[in-house]
């Protein structure tokens, strides 16, 4: 019998509901419970797949090919529980499903309304695809008071009423701002946020209060009195040095204890040894390396959230701190700027879309190849490395990508069909953008004796993809003659998955997104190996 915990947020956005949900899930898991985490996003997009990274940060992709909110990445990294399509929904998807049912006549002529039809659809989503989980944690995106979030709040109010206190709990995350001129933390924003939640019929059972400093007992007592919760259920959510300290901090403040008390459950104390070990490696590393990330969305680092975490995981595995130098690829299109890469111990060129900044990424790949600096190209970063090699090693001067428009030498071209499972999927130029990429987990076969074979320790892997364009295998022979090894291919041998340069200290490009499967306790082998190569490079610089 699953118990549902609904996590809402108030006062301001970006308080960290996703991390709070992930941390609570990890604590309940450490006490022996099976957990599932879900995100309900109020925006009208069907999914974040067509949104600018500057609008919403990265798009996190699950094994089953869903394009989801980046918080699902936090959920997976903290609990190890793989997310699914059924773990993220938006207003757009809810309304699309409701309207599709109305068009089919499923509602038998009824007038379609937000209540009950939309709220019923939200409730159905929350309770569907639940099997033997002990806890299902549902994070409601946005901030209480946002007009677009009202149907979700109404739905969880109804569901809480239906399930009863034994199976439903409401946690509200708020902010306690510090006013320097007054020299004190202010509780009024939290009071108003709870009042806003009460106005839609939801009484929070526990408050998580974000603060940049300890919260005096008197303030906790005041919050409890005015917000109608027990004082023990006012949990300080203090700033910490690393996100992987959050479970430890919340446990020290009694979060998991209060949740179990609410549900009248007994459970052994959690073993948080591995979390302490991770934090110790992050805060007290034995060395450090400098990695240049040459991207095009560096103005908002949430666009590369999984990537930065995977690099940190690689540092954890090698017991070093990874200093990330974020660089806009456009600056390298101006000749002399490439010298800014001097002294870095590794260069990573991540995924991206569109022509802007592409030549800068090509220059970064060239610098890494010629200067023997470890290079890691991911998705678009692999494609740009191949174009660079085609131009400067294989003599194909006009090598380009059809993503940027017509080209005489399409080293990278649009995929029109591929195999997923037992089905053939097809796409066409000019089709819809949403949900039409090669998405989700696909297998690949690695060449025996290659560097990636040594790294993975196997010849068969499965990795998550999100792309429309592929390296054109019509050029494979010329590229191989120029020194580019195709060390990973799709099982049918049609789609290139990995390229590498034998003889280079570490030069690997992958078509997939390995950062999506990296965990602090299980760093992805490619990131572990890349950071190890950077450590070796640091001894030469």
């Amino acid at each position: 019998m699953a118990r549902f915990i609904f996590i809402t947020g108030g006062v301001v956005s970006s308080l960290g509901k996703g991390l709070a949900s992930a941390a609570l899930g990890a604590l309940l898991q450490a006490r022996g419970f099976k957990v599932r985490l879900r995100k309900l996003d109020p925006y009208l997009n069907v999914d974040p797949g067509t949104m600018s990274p500057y609008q919403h940060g990265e798009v996190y992709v699950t094994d089953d090919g869903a394009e989801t909110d980046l918080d699902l990445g936090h959920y997976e990294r903290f609990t190890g529980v793989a997310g699914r399509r059924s773990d993220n929904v938006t207003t757009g998807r809810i309304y699309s499903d409701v309207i599709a049912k109305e068009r089919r006549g499923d509602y038998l002529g009824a007038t379609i309304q937000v209540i009950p039809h939309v709220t019923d659809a939200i409730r159905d989503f929350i309770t569907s695809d639940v099997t033997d989980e002990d806890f299902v944690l549902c994070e409601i995106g946005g901030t209480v008071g946002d007009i677009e979030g009202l149907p979700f709040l109404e739905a969880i109010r109804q569901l809480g009423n239906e399930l009863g206190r034994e199976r439903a709990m409401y946690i509200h995350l708020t902010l306690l701002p510090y006013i320097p001129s007054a020299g004190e933390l202010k509780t009024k924003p939290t009071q108003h946020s709870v009042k806003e939640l009460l106005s839609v019929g939801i009484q929070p059972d526990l408050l998580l209060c974000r603060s940049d400093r300890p919260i005096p007992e008197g303030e906790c007592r005041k919050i409890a009195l005015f917000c109608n919760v027990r004082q023990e259920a006012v949990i300080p959510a203090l700033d910490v040095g690393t996100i992987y300290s959050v479970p430890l901090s919340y446990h020290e403040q009694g979060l998991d204890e209060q949740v179990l008390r609410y549900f009248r459950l007994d459970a052994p104390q959690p073993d948080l040894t591995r979390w302490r070990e991770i934090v110790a490696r992050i805060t007290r590393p034995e060395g450090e390396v400098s990695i240049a990330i040459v991207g095009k969305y560096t103005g908002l680092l949430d666009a590369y959230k999984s990537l930065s975490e995977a690099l940190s995981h690689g540092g954890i595995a090698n017991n070093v701190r990874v200093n990330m130098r974020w660089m806009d690829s456009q600056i390298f299109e101006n000749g002399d700027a490439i010298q800014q890469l001097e002294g870095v111990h590794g260069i990573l060129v991540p995924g991206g879309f569109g022509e802007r900044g592409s030549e800068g990424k090509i220059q970064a790949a060239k610098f890494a190849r010629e200067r023997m600096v470890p290079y890691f190209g991911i998705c678009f970063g692999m494609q740009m490395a191949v174009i660079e090699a085609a131009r400067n090693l294989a003599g194909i001067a006009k090598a380009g990508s059809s993503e940027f428009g017509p080209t005489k030498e399409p080293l990278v071209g649009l995929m029109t069909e591929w195999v997923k499972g037992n089905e053939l999927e097809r796409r066409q130029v000019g089709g819809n953008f949403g949900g039409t990429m090669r998405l989700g987990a696909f297998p690949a076969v690695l060449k025996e004796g290659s560097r990636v074979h040594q790294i993975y320790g196997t010849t068969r892997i499965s990795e998550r993809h999100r792309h429309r364009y592929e390296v054109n295998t019509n050029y494979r022979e010329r590229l191989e003659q120029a020194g580019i090894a195709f060390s990973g291919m799709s099982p049918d041998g049609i789609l290139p998955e990995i390229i590498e340069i034998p003889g280079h200290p570490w030069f690997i490009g992958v078509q997939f997104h390995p950062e999506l499967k990296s965990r602090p306790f299980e760093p992805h082998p490619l990131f572990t190996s890349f950071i190890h190569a950077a450590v070796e490079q640091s001894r030469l610089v």
Side-chain angles (χ1 to χ4, degrees):
M1 180 182 69
R3 297 167 179 83
F4 292 81
I5 300 176
F6 302 106
I7 298 99
T8 57
V11 184
V12 296
S13 60
S14 301
L15 279 182
K17 293 191 303 296
L19 281 173
S21 303
L24 176 56
L27 289 173
L28 293 172
Q29 196 179 56
R31 284 181 177 266
F33 295 104
K34 186 174 182 180
V35 300
R36 185 85 174 272
L37 292 101
R38 290 183 160 163
K39 177 73 182 286
L40 287 69
D41 279 308
Y43 53 74
L44 280 170
N45 303 67
V46 172
D47 59 45
T50 60
M51 295 170 71
S52 164
Y54 287 121
Q55 287 281 318
H56 198 68
E58 79 168 1
V59 175
Y60 192 80
V61 179
T62 58
D63 280 337
D64 59 4
E67 293 178 289
T68 71
D69 184 80
L70 63 80
D71 278 328
L72 267 73
H74 291 313
Y75 304 162
E76 286 201 19
R77 286 188 286 273
F78 275 64
T79 67
V81 178
R84 291 177 245 173
R85 187 177 299 276
S86 57
D87 291 329
N88 188 204
V89 77
T90 68
T91 296
R93 189 165 140 206
I94 291 291
Y95 273 85
S96 294
D97 291 346
V98 168
I99 291 170
K101 287 182 179 180
E102 185 271 332
R103 293 289 82 189
R104 291 196 303 266
D106 292 2
Y107 295 115
L108 303 177
T111 300
I112 310 306
Q113 298 175 293
V114 173
I115 302 172
H117 302 98
V118 171
T119 52
D120 281 353
I122 295 171
R123 290 171 54 182
D124 289 343
F125 169 80
I126 292 171
T127 57
S128 67
D129 197 22
V130 176
T131 53
D132 58 343
E133 288 83 5
D134 299 302
F135 288 97
V136 179
L137 283 67
C138 295
E139 175 195 347
I140 314 302
T143 306
V144 169
D146 296 343
I147 190 170
E148 61 265 28
L150 290 175
F152 289 91
L153 296 178
E154 172 62 18
I156 64 173
R157 182 199 68 79
Q158 294 176 11
L159 196 52
N161 224 18
E162 179 183 311
L163 295 171
R165 186 186 185 285
E166 299 79 16
R167 293 186 59 198
M169 179 183 190
Y170 299 101
I171 294 177
H172 191 52
L173 180 66
T174 70
L175 175 68
L176 265 65
Y178 178 77
I179 308 300
S181 60
E184 61 182 0
L185 290 167
K186 291 296 184 181
T187 66
K188 192 64 71 175
T190 291
Q191 295 176 43
H192 279 291
S193 183
V194 171
K195 184 179 179 181
E196 189 76 34
L197 200 54
L198 285 168
S199 72
V200 296
I202 296 175
Q203 164 66 56
D205 302 301
L206 184 148
L207 296 176
L208 273 173
C209 300
R210 281 296 306 273
S211 174
D212 64 352
R213 65 201 63 216
I215 304 173
E217 185 178 349
E219 301 305 296
C220 290
R221 188 162 53 245
K222 182 178 179 180
I223 292 169
L225 177 65
F226 282 95
C227 297
N228 196 31
V229 298
R230 292 179 296 102
Q231 185 175 337
E232 296 82 4
V234 178
I235 306 294
L238 306 180
D239 291 354
V240 291
T242 168
I243 62 172
Y244 298 116
S245 292
V246 175
L248 298 172
S249 177
Y250 281 176
H251 175 67
E252 289 169 4
Q253 300 295 338
L255 173 60
D256 48 325
E257 193 69 43
Q258 290 304 316
V259 168
L260 295 183
R261 176 180 174 179
Y262 174 87
F263 285 111
R264 296 182 173 86
L265 294 173
D266 290 321
Q269 286 294 316
D271 182 2
L272 301 177
T273 303
R274 67 176 189 166
W275 286 100
R276 294 188 182 93
E277 291 174 350
I278 289 295
V279 171
R281 283 192 166 228
I282 292 173
T283 57
R284 297 189 298 275
E286 293 180 353
E288 59 183 36
V289 293
S290 177
I291 302 296
I293 301 101
V294 182
K296 61 189 296 183
Y297 312 119
T298 53
L300 180 69
L301 297 188
D302 268 359
Y304 299 113
K305 176 56 71 176
S306 291
L307 182 67
S308 62
E309 293 306 312
L311 284 167
S312 295
H313 303 161
I316 291 170
N318 289 279
N319 205 11
V320 295
R321 176 181 293 109
V322 178
N323 297 318
M324 301 173 210
R325 294 175 55 183
W326 300 92
M327 299 181 176
D328 189 326
S329 58
Q330 285 183 283
I331 67 173
F332 298 123
E333 296 175 2
N334 299 321
D336 294 341
I338 198 69
Q339 302 309 316
Q340 293 185 34
L341 293 174
E342 293 281 2
V344 300
H345 308 128
I347 297 171
L348 190 151
V349 176
F353 297 91
E355 187 173 10
R356 181 178 64 83
S358 60
E359 288 298 325
K361 293 185 176 186
I362 290 171
Q363 291 303 314
K366 181 181 180 183
F367 181 93
R369 179 180 60 79
E370 293 181 341
R371 299 294 189 90
M372 293 294 179
V373 177
Y375 176 87
F376 196 177
I378 295 176
C379 196
F380 194 80
M382 166 183 162
Q383 296 170 5
M384 296 304 99
V386 170
I387 289 175
E388 188 280 322
R391 290 178 182 177
N392 299 306
L393 293 179
I396 309 173
K398 297 186 180 297
S401 171
S402 62
E403 181 178 359
F404 310 148
T407 175
K408 292 182 178 179
E409 301 284 3
L411 262 290
V412 176
L414 177 71
M415 290 183 295
T416 56
E417 60 180 48
W418 60 85
V419 175
K420 182 162 188 175
N422 296 319
E423 297 183 2
L424 181 67
E425 296 199 6
R426 289 189 172 91
R427 299 291 184 267
Q428 59 184 9
V429 177
N432 287 343
F433 277 103
T436 58
M437 286 184 274
R438 189 177 184 226
L439 292 165
F442 288 86
V445 178
L446 308 185
K447 183 179 180 181
E448 288 194 20
S450 63
R451 183 185 291 275
V452 288
H453 176 213
Q454 296 168 3
I455 292 171
Y456 278 97
T458 181
T459 57
R460 300 192 72 87
I461 62 171
S462 176
E463 295 283 1
R464 297 179 187 177
H465 295 65
R466 183 176 183 255
H467 62 104
R468 287 189 181 88
Y469 293 82
E470 281 272 2
V471 172
N472 188 341
T473 51
N474 289 333
Y475 293 89
R476 178 175 178 176
E477 185 176 347
R478 294 171 69 181
L479 288 167
E480 287 181 329
Q481 289 174 353
I484 301 297
F486 286 69
S487 52
M489 299 290 292
S490 58
D492 57 14
I494 295 175
L495 302 177
E497 295 280 5
I498 307 175
I499 62 98
E500 60 184 67
I501 298 181
H504 191 283
W506 207 98
F507 194 106
I508 292 175
V510 298
Q511 185 57 72
F512 45 83
H513 288 270
E515 69 271 23
L516 300 178
K517 295 184 71 171
S518 187
R519 314 281 180 264
F521 309 112
E522 297 179 69
H524 194 285
L526 285 174
F527 282 91
T528 298
S529 179
F530 176 58
I531 297 302
H532 177 75
V535 171
E536 294 299 314
Q537 182 75 11
S538 70
R539 294 169 181 159
L540 301 175
V541 175

